[in-house]
C-alpha cells in the first residue's frame, strides 16, 4: 500500500507560520533602501548646488559655467567615440573588451610620431587640414590594426569559453599593451605638437569656444552619424545586426560570422583612433597608460547609455562628460572643498555605481540586469 492509502483521505497537516515572518518576507527591503538612498543623493545634490550658486564671494560667473559646459561636451564626445567600441563588441560577442582603452592609446601614439614628422617638415602649420587628415589616417590605421590583432590572437580562440575567461584575457591584453608601449617608447609623458590653426577660439553664436573643442565635437558627430548610417543602410551593417541577434541563425543564412566580428573590431578601432587624435589635440600629451582611465570612463558611459546600444553609448558619453566637467564644481565649491576638479574621477565612477544600482540596463536598456 502507498503512503496515501495508508493515511486514508486525511490531508497532510500544515504548520501555520507566524504572521510577522510572512510580513517580513514580503517587506520590500531593497525598495526601501533604494528610496532612502535616492532621497539622500537628491538632498546632497540640491544642497551642494544651492550653496555653490549662492556664494557671496568667489562665485563662478556665467562665462565660467559656459566654459565648463563646452569642455564637458567636447570631453563627452571623446568618451562617446570610445564607448561605441565597447558597445559594438558587446553587441556582437557579449563581452567587455577592457583592452579597448589601449586601442585608443595606440592611435594617439601613432598620430604623435606622424605629427612630429609633419612638424619637422613644416607641414603641420603650412597645411593644417591635410595634416589633420594624415594624423587621423595614421591613428585609425594603427588602432584598427591593434583591435583586429586582439580579436584574432586573444579573443577568437576563447570564443566558446565561459564568459569570465575572455574578460580576464582582455585585462591581461590591456596590461600587455600598456607595458609594451612603455618599453618601446618610454614611460614619461610626451608633449603633442600643437597646430597653429587650432590655437585660439572661434566665436559661435556669440560664444567664444576653443578651436580644438569645436573640431573634437564636429569630428565626433560626423563619426557617430556615419556609424549609424553604416549600420542601418549597408549590407555589412545589416549583417552585424543579424550576428548580434543570433550568430547561429546568421551563419545558417550564409553570413560569414568571423568576418563580421573582425569588421566590428576594425570599426571600433577606427572610432578609437579618431578619439585618440582628438584627446591628444585637446590635452596636448600622450603617455603609455593614457588609455586606462578614459577607457574605464567610456565603459561607464556605455553602461550609462545602455551597453550594446550605439545611441546609448553616444548619449552616455555626452552626459558623463558634462557631469564630470560641471559636477565637481557645482556640488563641491559651495562647501569649500579645495580643488574640486581633482575629484571628477570620483564623480564619474560614482555614476557607474549608481547606474548599476538603480538601472543596470542603462538609459536605453531594459532597466533590469542581464541574466546569462
Amino acid at each position: 500500500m502507498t503512503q496515501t492509502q495508508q493515511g486514508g483521505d486525511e490531508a497532510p497537516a500544515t504548520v501555520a507560520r507566524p504572521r510577522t515572518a510572512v510580513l517580513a518576507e514580503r517587506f520590500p527591503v531593497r525598495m526601501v533602501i533604494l528610496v532612502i538612498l535616492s532621497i539622500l543623493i537628491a538632498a546632497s545634490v540640491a544642497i551642494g548646488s544651492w550653496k555653490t550658486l549662492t556664494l557671496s564671494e568667489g562665485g563662478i560667473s556665467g562665462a565660467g559655467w559656459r566654459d565648463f559646459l563646452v569642455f564637458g561636451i567636447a570631453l563627452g564626445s571623446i568618451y562617446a567615440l570610445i564607448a561605441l567600441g565597447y558597445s559594438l563588441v558587446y553587441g556582437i560577442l557579449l563581452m567587455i573588451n577592457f583592452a579597448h582603452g589601449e586601442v585608443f592609446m595606440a592611435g594617439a601614439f601613432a598620430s604623435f610620431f606622424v605629427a612630429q614628422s609633419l612638424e619637422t617638415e613644416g607641414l603641420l602649420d603650412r597645411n593644417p587640414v591635410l595634416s589633420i587628415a594624415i594624423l587621423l589616417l595614421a591613428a585609425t590605421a594603427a588602432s584598427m590594426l591593434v583591435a583586429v590583432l586582439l580579436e584574432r590572437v586573444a579573443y577568437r580562440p576563447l570564443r566558446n569559453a565561459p564568459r569570465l575567461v575572455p574578460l580576464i584575457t582582455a585585462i591581461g591584453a590591456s596590461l600587455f599593451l600598456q607595458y609594451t608601449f612603455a618599453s618601446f617608447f618610454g614611460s614619461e609623458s610626451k608633449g603633442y605638437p600643437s597646430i597653429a590653426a587650432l590655437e585660439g577660439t572661434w566665436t559661435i553664436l556669440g560664444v567664444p569656444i576653443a578651436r580644438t573643442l569645436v573640431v573634437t565635437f564636429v569630428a565626433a558627430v560626423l563619426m557617430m552619424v556615419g556609424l549609424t548610417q553604416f549600420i542601418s543602410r549597408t549590407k555589412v551593417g545589416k549583417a552585424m545586426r543579424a550576428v548580434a541577434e543570433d550568430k547561429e541563425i546568421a551563419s545558417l543564412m550564409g553570413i560569414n560570422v568571423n568576418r563580421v566580428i573582425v569588421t566590428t573590431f576594425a570599426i571600433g578601432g577606427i572610432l578609437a583612433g579618431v578619439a585618440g587624435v582628438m584627446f591628444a589635440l585637446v590635452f596636448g600629451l600622450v603617455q603609455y597608460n593614457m588609455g586606462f582611465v578614459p577607457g574605464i570612463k567610456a565603459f561607464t558611459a556605455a553602461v550609462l547609455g545602455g551597453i550594446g546600444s550605439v545611441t546609448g553609448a553616444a548619449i552616455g558619453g555626452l552626459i558623463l562628460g558634462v557631469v564630470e566637467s560641471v559636477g565637481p564644481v557645482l556640488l563641491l565649491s559651495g562647501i569649500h572643498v579645495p580643488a574640486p576638479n581633482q575629484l571628477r574621477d570620483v564623480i564619474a565612477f560614482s555614476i557607474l555605481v549608481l547606474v548599476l544600482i538603480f538601472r543596470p540596463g542603462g538609459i536605453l536598456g531594459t532597466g533590469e540586469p542581464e541574466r546569462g
Side-chain angles (χ1 to χ4, degrees), residues 95-100 102 150 154-155 158 164-180 292:
M95 67 161 286
I96 303 298
N97 179 18
F98 275 118
H100 192 64
E102 281 56 54
L150 276 173
Y155 301 146
L158 303 175
L164 183 61
V165 176
L167 178 64
I168 296 173
T169 303
I171 296 173
S174 171
L175 296 174
F176 172 80
L177 289 172
Q178 282 188 39
Y179 290 104
T180 298
F292 180 75

Side-chain angles (χ1 to χ4, degrees), residues 12-27:
T14 58
V15 179
R17 301 180 61 192
R19 183 179 180 82
T20 55
V22 175
L23 292 177
E25 288 182 358
R26 295 181 179 178
F27 188 73

Side-chain angles (χ1 to χ4, degrees), residues 117-140:
S117 301
L118 295 177
E119 185 182 40
T120 302
E121 297 296 328
L123 184 63
L124 204 59
D125 293 331
R126 189 169 63 248
N127 197 333
V129 176
L130 178 60
S131 298
I132 293 175
I134 294 174
L135 295 179
L136 290 173
L137 181 62
T140 53

Side-chain angles (χ1 to χ4, degrees), residues 99-122:
H100 192 64
E102 281 56 54
V103 175
F104 156 82
M105 176 266 295
F109 258 93
S111 70
F112 165 75
F113 291 116
V114 173
Q116 279 190 324
S117 301
L118 295 177
E119 185 182 40
T120 302
E121 297 296 328

Side-chain angles (χ1 to χ4, degrees), residues 2 24 45-46 70 84 96 109 123 144-145 147 149 171 197 203 218 237 265 274 299 301 310 312 318 329 331 348-349:
T2 62
V45 170
V70 170
L84 287 171
I96 303 298
F109 258 93
L123 184 63
M144 183 175 63
L145 177 62
L149 286 176
I171 296 173
T203 301
V218 171
F265 273 85
V274 174
F299 170 67
V310 172
L318 291 174
V329 178
L331 300 180
F349 296 126

